[in-house]
Amino acid sequence: MAKLKDILQWSLILAAVMVLVGARPNLKLNSQTSSGLKSDCAGNLMRLSLDKALAVGNQLEVDAINGTQHVAITPSLAAQCGYSMESDPWGNTRIYTSLMGCYVNNHEDTTFTVNLRLKMINQSPSDITSHDVTKTCSYSRWASREVLCDRNYMEVSTRMSAPDGEAKGQTQVVKDDSKINTVPGSSGEEHGIWKMTFFTPEPVTMVLREATQAGYSAMTTSNRVVVRSPYNTAETYSEDVAGVPMEVLKVTAYYKTSHGLSVVNMAAACPIGGVLFTEDVISWYVPSRVTTLVDGSVSILEMHMGINGQRLDASQMAARGYTLSQTDFHIAIELPVGSPDGYYKSHAPDYQYHVTYSVEPMLEVLWRSDTQDDTKYKVLFPVTTPLMPRTPFSVEYTVPEDRLFVVHVGTFLHDVELKNITFSTGVLTVEECNARGFTVQEHTFSNGTKSFTLQVPFDDDVVLKHNPEKLVTVYFLPLVFGFLIQPEEIPFPYAVDLEAFLQDVVLPTLSGFCDQSNFHILVEYGSQGRNFQTLVGYQELTSDLSEDFDLKDNRTHFSFVVPFMAKNAAFEVITSDSLRARLDVVLWDQNNEWVLGDLYLACNFPFTTTECYANGTMTAVAVKVESLLNLIPSMLTLKDQTCKPDISDDRFAHFTFSVNSCGTTRMFFDHYMLYENEIGLYYNNYKNNKGTAYTSPVDPDYRQTVSCYYVVNDTQTFAFMSEPINKEPAAEIGLGQLMVQMRLAEDSFYDLFYRPEDYPVVKYLRQPLYFEVELMHSTDPSLELILDNCWATLDEDRASLPSWDLIIDGCGNQDDSYMTVFHPVIGDSRVPVPSHFKRFSIKMFTFTRDDEVLKDEIHVHCDALICDTSSNADGACRGQCSTPDLNNFRYPGIKREQRSTDSTSHRWLSSGPIHLLNSGSTNEQPKMYVLQYTIHQRPDLGPQT
């Protein structure tokens, strides 16, 4: 992965080399007063703080200035000579120097001067900025023994024994006032360390040169003997003290003085454990009595804690929530996780977001033994918590009506950067998201954390959409946020799935009208464009069919023209001079198997069935109408059954014959003569594929009378009539045991119906109610069921008020904003005679007065007529209305105040109660969305829609 700019790089040169001043070109020298550098004294340490702003984009090297020479401090030399460095991931750096360290100017063990050069190497190795640091510290309160535990070394120094005859503690006299602390490996002086015996615990003896080569440092100053060791060397070992693991250095040093050879036993023990973690507190335990350092009975004279090498007083500790306490076996320091002296850091093991917290407490203890010798013990102990999982969270603030996804993702530490976002269509950077119109914002908080907000419009193509219901759209936005942890550029993802429901679908609409020979259909697109199949007479409107029907299309609608003789049209009724044809158009969602819209347009078209010619020739056309599903026109004959159609197909049979053939009869009247024949279906002509006569009580009989009048030289066409072969009498209205029932279907398929125990049926406002009215226990195809009037009331009483008309004189109420829709009936196993059924649907409503709902219940009532289709009846028996084209014609509608209750030609029907389910309640939401509707107040009193 490519490194970003401005990543702070911190390192030490891997070899100890002597570098002369000015050895590198382009050296820019700055004084200690440079901004971002701060040095101070912390007891037996000098501390140098380097702000990250000083070294951004640079590599840091540290040199110790030894007179006229510069010594590069490498990691191994730092542990050997008493230097340590701590940097956080962003470049804030602290450098500690032991006052007993190498290259420190030591004046009588009281005044110490440290000279360092910090070199900032830019991207080009030849471009170096240098900062010289000189700091003088005074420290004279040396204890008999001092132990210093830093992060990379252990140091112990012991006061030299006073020579015989001199007072205890008297300083040895030397010629020079000051000198540089011994450089590792120097030997051969008259005074100084000669050899050392390490105890591991087995004794291992080395001369000073061998010890120096092994990484140790040993020297004498004016008054002290100093030994220093890195951790984990061959001559150190681990020991458990009061349950705390300690790294131990035990050595006997032999050193020469002007008084002779002296021997001193020295030991250092530094904790390498003893830390316990909870989610909120770091507890650090150090043995209150380190047996390796102090023998016999000891007492603690002083006990202090600090942070980053700096001692804190009681008020500072209390303000930070730190505690320092002592038990029988331990000294305990407790620090709250997240205190301002430490820092959090992000991590992503296995691409899962975690954090750690790091802090560097310090402990100072002064022990006094029964021999009155003091031991000063100082430990700098950096602590980092184990990985703590911090699973990001997301909060969705999406308001579906705003058509905008809004999600808030957090929280993260300040070292986390949002790099990109993966959408269903691909990956976009933050800059690309904002350029595309998505809003990506970063929010920072006072506690150092941050979060991010993303806004995405519903209509963008990165949003997935589907419709669980006709009017409802589900918007789905899968997201994967791509984060980087800086400065290491460690990636980790966070996935969020957003979903919103919105009732925003506008369904397509259909309308149509007829001229003398065609159906004209107009389809206006809804909000989802052309997401449907168009079925014309249950045949898909393909490209070939569209060309046949002269389809015209644009962005808002399309239209087409269908001839009434096309196979897509259904024939309902035929008369002597007209053919009533119907075109069924359905908008079908194949994926969800939904009817998005439908239109059933029926019109009467001019059509001549019989023609008479002066030469005595007659032609006749027999038409297969919808009620005769099983009729095969080619099986029709005239009275003479040898006279068959000269032309036929699956819908028509055409006959041509002379007036003196095929069983044609002749009758004479005063001024004219009448020729008459019949087109009929005879069972002995209707055989199956085995040659046997096909007889079925379900198949209808067929008879069509054709006649011609001849008046002198004039030729006339006479009306025909159709009646059953058996000449069954037409049903008289009011006689017989004919029964009619009305049922409420569960959906528009009319397959499942509500049972009596299901009432009252509960529906939403404007939800469709599908009714079916059936003439029962009759197989007579000459009978047709006609719905004369239908209306709704509040109560079971069909004559009660208020009421609202649904069907008036067989047609939908034109005053209704949601007019009644009639549905075609197609014959099947349950519907042997389609003319015995009528189906219609209305929108659920309720009655209101002064904007208040009178009752959440309606009852639907109907008057039904049973008509003889073989008679030339007037009035309601002329046929049921279809859904009219509102742009071209209207059926007259009359608001009735009182209904007939004594007509013998009627059947009275009523439905069970239908309850309105109030979808506006905020406490009850049976669906994932809230239905919206508008209140229309009809004049005086009317239904709420």
Side-chain angles (χ1 to χ4, degrees):
M1 183 178 295
K3 294 289 184 181
L4 295 178
K5 295 181 179 179
D6 302 335
I7 293 180
L8 303 180
Q9 298 179 346
W10 306 94
S11 65
L12 293 172
I13 301 301
L14 298 179
V17 296
M18 304 298 291
V19 181
L20 297 178
V21 176
R24 290 184 181 270
N26 299 331
L27 186 63
K28 302 173 185 178
L29 186 61
N30 296 305
S31 66
Q32 182 181 348
T33 58
S34 298
S35 175
L37 281 176
K38 178 184 177 182
S39 59
D40 57 359
C41 302
N44 56 357
L45 292 169
M46 191 280 288
R47 183 177 64 175
L48 176 62
S49 300
L50 177 67
D51 187 82
K52 64 179 180 180
L54 187 64
V56 169
N58 299 323
Q59 180 178 333
L60 174 63
E61 291 183 2
V62 181
D63 289 353
I65 301 176
N66 181 21
T68 60
Q69 293 181 326
H70 293 175
V71 180
I73 304 299
T74 66
S76 59
L77 188 62
Q80 187 176 22
C81 284
Y83 295 85
S84 68
M85 183 170 70
E86 165 67 8
S87 295
D88 67 21
W90 306 279
N92 299 296
T93 303
R94 291 183 302 275
I95 301 173
Y96 296 96
T97 303
S98 170
L99 298 185
M100 288 294 178
C102 309
Y103 318 114
V104 176
N105 194 327
N106 182 346
H107 179 71
E108 293 294 334
D109 288 340
T110 58
T111 304
F112 305 86
T113 301
V114 180
N115 293 285
L116 298 176
R117 172 165 290 182
L118 308 182
K119 292 180 291 187
M120 309 297 177
I121 304 176
N122 296 326
Q123 293 182 353
S124 173
S126 61
D127 187 8
I128 301 174
T129 302
S130 179
H131 300 271
D132 282 357
V133 178
T134 298
K135 181 66 176 178
T136 299
C137 297
S138 297
Y139 184 72
S140 57
R141 297 182 57 189
W142 291 97
S144 301
R145 175 171 56 184
E146 295 211 359
V147 177
L148 174 61
C149 300
D150 206 340
R151 63 179 53 250
N152 57 337
Y153 66 87
M154 300 180 289
E155 178 184 284
V156 55
S157 67
T158 303
R159 184 186 296 125
M160 290 182 180
S161 301
D164 296 340
E166 295 182 359
K168 184 176 182 180
Q170 181 177 350
T171 304
Q172 179 181 356
V173 178
V174 296
K175 293 181 180 180
D176 296 333
D177 291 339
S178 63
K179 65 177 182 178
I180 298 294
N181 286 343
T182 305
V183 177
S186 61
S187 60
E189 297 183 2
E190 182 180 356
H191 303 151
I193 302 293
W194 168 47
K195 71 174 183 178
M196 304 166 66
T197 299
F198 296 90
F199 297 92
T200 62
E202 297 299 324
V204 177
T205 301
M206 301 180 189
V207 297
L208 179 60
R209 178 177 55 81
E210 294 173 332
T212 301
Q213 291 176 348
Y216 302 101
S217 178
M219 68 179 184
T220 59
T221 66
S222 300
N223 302 292
R224 305 187 71 79
V225 179
V226 182
V227 175
R228 189 177 303 107
S229 170
Y231 290 101
N232 301 316
T233 65
E235 284 70 43
T236 61
Y237 63 93
S238 297
E239 182 177 317
D240 189 284
V241 180
V244 177
M246 309 284 283
E247 183 90 0
V248 178
L249 169 69
K250 294 185 70 174
V251 62
T252 297
Y254 301 85
Y255 63 96
K256 296 177 290 185
T257 67
S258 58
H259 304 286
L261 183 63
S262 297
V263 179
V264 60
N265 295 320
M266 307 176 73
C270 296
I272 55 176
V275 182
L276 298 179
F277 300 96
T278 67
E279 187 174 348
D280 303 315
V281 177
I282 299 172
S283 301
W284 177 31
Y285 295 91
V286 177
S288 57
R289 178 175 178 272
V290 181
T291 55
T292 308
L293 304 179
V294 290
D295 296 326
S297 61
V298 296
S299 59
I300 296 178
L301 301 183
E302 296 180 18
M303 189 169 59
H304 307 278
M305 79 157 290
I307 293 291
N308 299 330
Q310 186 66 46
R311 183 184 294 180
L312 301 178
D313 59 29
S315 62
Q316 292 172 319
M317 292 172 56
R320 292 166 167 81
Y322 301 152
T323 61
L324 175 63
S325 60
Q326 180 184 359
T327 66
D328 292 339
F329 301 100
H330 297 97
I331 299 170
I333 293 177
E334 290 190 346
L335 307 95
V337 174
S339 67
D341 294 314
Y343 63 88
Y344 280 102
K345 183 71 184 78
S346 297
H347 306 270
D350 297 326
Y351 302 103
Q352 302 299 312
Y353 186 56
H354 291 70
V355 300
T356 58
Y357 173 75
S358 299
V359 67
E360 187 175 52
M362 179 188 73
L363 174 65
E364 291 182 307
V365 182
L366 179 60
W367 284 297
R368 175 165 293 174
S369 66
D370 51 7
T371 61
Q372 300 301 306
D373 289 331
D374 294 342
T375 297
K376 189 177 290 185
Y377 189 61
K378 185 173 186 176
V379 183
L380 279 69
F381 196 76
V383 176
T384 298
T385 65
L387 288 170
M388 297 179 287
R390 290 291 185 270
T391 302
F393 68 87
S394 61
V395 180
E396 186 175 359
Y397 295 102
T398 301
V399 178
E401 288 72 20
D402 295 339
R403 303 187 64 80
L404 186 70
F405 279 114
V406 182
V407 61
H408 187 87
V409 179
T411 56
F412 305 95
L413 296 182
H414 62 91
D415 59 348
V416 172
E417 171 190 339
L418 177 59
K419 189 67 175 177
N420 55 48
I421 303 175
T422 301
F423 298 90
S424 60
T425 56
V427 181
L428 297 177
T429 65
V430 173
E431 294 76 14
E432 290 171 337
C433 287
N434 286 314
R436 184 163 174 164
F438 307 159
T439 301
V440 182
Q441 293 179 314
E442 179 179 310
H443 310 277
T444 58
F445 305 101
S446 58
N447 63 356
T449 61
K450 65 170 64 173
S451 62
F452 301 90
T453 299
L454 171 66
Q455 298 180 0
V456 178
F458 282 6
D459 298 323
D460 197 278
D461 60 7
V462 302
V463 179
L464 306 178
K465 309 173 185 68
H466 75 277
N467 301 98
E469 299 180 21
K470 290 182 184 179
L471 300 178
V472 177
T473 304
V474 176
Y475 296 91
F476 182 64
L477 179 61
L479 301 168
V480 179
F481 291 86
F483 295 100
L484 282 180
I485 297 174
Q486 300 293 4
E488 302 88 350
E489 291 196 335
I490 298 174
F492 70 93
Y494 178 64
V496 178
D497 291 336
L498 306 179
E499 191 174 60
F501 294 77
L502 188 60
Q503 186 176 338
D504 61 350
V505 178
V506 177
L507 296 178
T509 58
L510 299 101
S511 59
F513 66 93
C514 302
D515 60 16
Q516 292 295 306
S517 56
N518 299 293
F519 297 97
H520 295 262
I521 306 299
L522 176 66
V523 180
E524 296 183 65
Y525 294 129
S527 59
Q528 297 181 318
R530 195 166 184 175
N531 64 328
F532 52 81
Q533 292 180 338
T534 303
L535 304 180
V536 182
Y538 302 101
Q539 181 182 4
E540 183 179 357
L541 186 61
T542 61
S543 57
D544 292 339
L545 202 59
S546 299
E547 186 175 349
D548 294 340
F549 293 162
D550 191 23
L551 184 139
K552 294 180 174 58
D553 191 6
N554 62 26
R555 292 185 303 173
T556 61
H557 65 275
F558 68 91
S559 62
F560 56 93
V561 179
V562 180
F564 82 93
M565 295 292 287
K567 290 187 176 182
N568 305 80
F571 300 147
E572 292 184 336
V573 178
I574 185 171
T575 65
S576 61
D577 59 357
S578 68
L579 176 62
R580 183 174 180 83
R582 187 187 76 249
L583 185 66
D584 301 337
V585 183
V586 176
L587 306 182
W588 176 250
D589 183 342
Q590 186 175 17
N591 293 330
N592 297 299
E593 297 185 348
W594 291 337
V595 175
L596 301 182
D598 52 34
L599 175 68
Y600 306 99
L601 181 60
C603 300
N604 291 320
F605 295 94
F607 187 77
T608 300
T609 59
T610 305
E611 290 186 300
C612 305
Y613 298 93
N615 63 358
T617 301
M618 297 176 61
T619 62
V621 177
V623 180
K624 177 182 178 180
V625 294
E626 189 178 37
S627 59
L628 302 176
L629 292 179
N630 296 322
L631 176 66
I632 301 176
S634 62
M635 296 295 180
L636 296 173
T637 66
L638 295 173
K639 284 185 178 179
D640 183 349
Q641 297 180 19
T642 62
C643 294
K644 298 181 180 180
D646 52 354
I647 301 174
S648 65
D649 58 18
D650 58 345
R651 308 179 76 193
F652 299 94
H654 185 273
F655 295 86
T656 303
F657 58 97
S658 64
V659 296
N660 58 359
S661 65
C662 298
T664 306
T665 60
R666 183 178 60 183
M667 296 178 64
F668 292 91
F669 296 91
D670 293 339
H671 302 290
Y672 53 87
M673 57 183 175
L674 172 66
Y675 290 93
E676 188 175 78
N677 208 322
E678 291 179 350
I679 301 174
L681 177 66
Y682 301 91
Y683 282 128
N684 57 339
N685 290 336
Y686 200 14
K687 300 179 183 295
N688 58 24
N689 56 5
K690 295 182 180 180
T692 58
Y694 178 76
T695 59
S696 172
V698 178
D699 293 330
D701 297 333
Y702 184 89
R703 174 173 291 181
Q704 176 180 333
T705 301
V706 293
S707 304
C708 279
Y709 286 93
Y710 287 86
V711 181
V712 190
N713 293 326
D714 191 14
T715 301
Q716 297 284 339
T717 301
F718 191 72
F720 72 93
M721 61 180 293
S722 177
E723 63 181 20
I725 292 176
N726 298 328
K727 297 188 180 294
E728 296 176 359
E732 290 190 29
I733 297 176
L735 301 178
Q737 301 296 321
L738 297 177
M739 296 178 62
V740 179
Q741 70 169 357
M742 180 167 66
R743 294 190 293 175
L744 178 61
E746 294 185 6
D747 53 37
S748 61
F749 293 103
Y750 290 90
D751 291 328
L752 301 174
F753 295 86
Y754 291 102
R755 299 167 299 177
E757 58 267 30
D758 295 331
Y759 287 88
V761 175
V762 179
K763 296 288 184 179
Y764 288 114
L765 195 64
R766 292 174 58 185
Q767 187 173 356
L769 303 176
Y770 297 94
F771 292 91
E772 180 184 90
V773 182
E774 176 186 2
L775 172 61
M776 303 178 65
H777 310 306
S778 174
T779 59
D780 188 348
S782 65
L783 300 183
E784 182 176 7
L785 177 69
I786 300 295
L787 297 180
D788 189 11
N789 296 289
C790 293
W791 66 100
T793 64
L794 287 174
D795 302 309
E796 292 184 72
D797 184 1
R798 57 192 283 116
S800 64
L801 295 176
S803 67
W804 183 256
D805 286 320
L806 305 174
I807 298 174
I808 302 173
D809 293 336
C811 299
N813 182 1
Q814 298 295 314
D815 292 333
D816 200 333
S817 299
Y818 300 94
M819 197 170 66
T820 301
V821 177
F822 292 93
H823 299 278
V825 181
I826 306 300
D828 56 26
S829 59
R830 192 178 71 82
V831 183
V833 184
S835 63
H836 291 183
F837 293 77
K838 284 294 181 289
R839 292 171 178 170
F840 68 94
S841 65
I842 65 173
K843 303 287 188 180
M844 180 61 187
F845 65 92
T846 186
F847 289 91
T848 64
R849 176 182 285 131
D850 297 331
D851 292 335
E852 292 186 1
V853 176
L854 298 179
K855 189 175 182 182
D856 291 334
E857 182 178 296
I858 63 171
H859 294 256
V860 176
H861 315 275
C862 285
D863 287 339
L865 293 175
I866 301 172
C867 299
D868 182 0
T869 58
S870 63
S871 66
N872 195 12
D874 291 330
C877 283
R878 286 178 299 179
Q880 194 77 56
C881 268
S882 69
T883 303
D885 173 54
L886 301 182
N887 296 323
N888 293 278
F889 59 86
R890 292 170 58 91
Y891 284 91
I894 302 175
K895 180 71 170 69
R896 283 168 167 69
E897 299 298 328
Q898 185 173 0
R899 305 183 186 281
S900 171
T901 59
D902 57 0
S903 174
T904 59
S905 65
H906 285 70
R907 293 295 183 267
W908 302 331
L909 307 117
S910 297
S911 75
I914 305 172
H915 281 194
L916 173 68
L917 178 60
N918 182 4
S919 62
S921 171
T922 59
N923 297 325
E924 185 175 320
Q925 298 182 356
K927 294 188 178 295
M928 296 298 292
Y929 58 92
V930 178
L931 291 173
Q932 298 179 347
Y933 54 89
T934 305
I935 302 297
H936 299 286
Q937 183 63 52
R938 292 190 171 92
D940 184 26
L941 179 66
Q944 172 184 325
T945 62

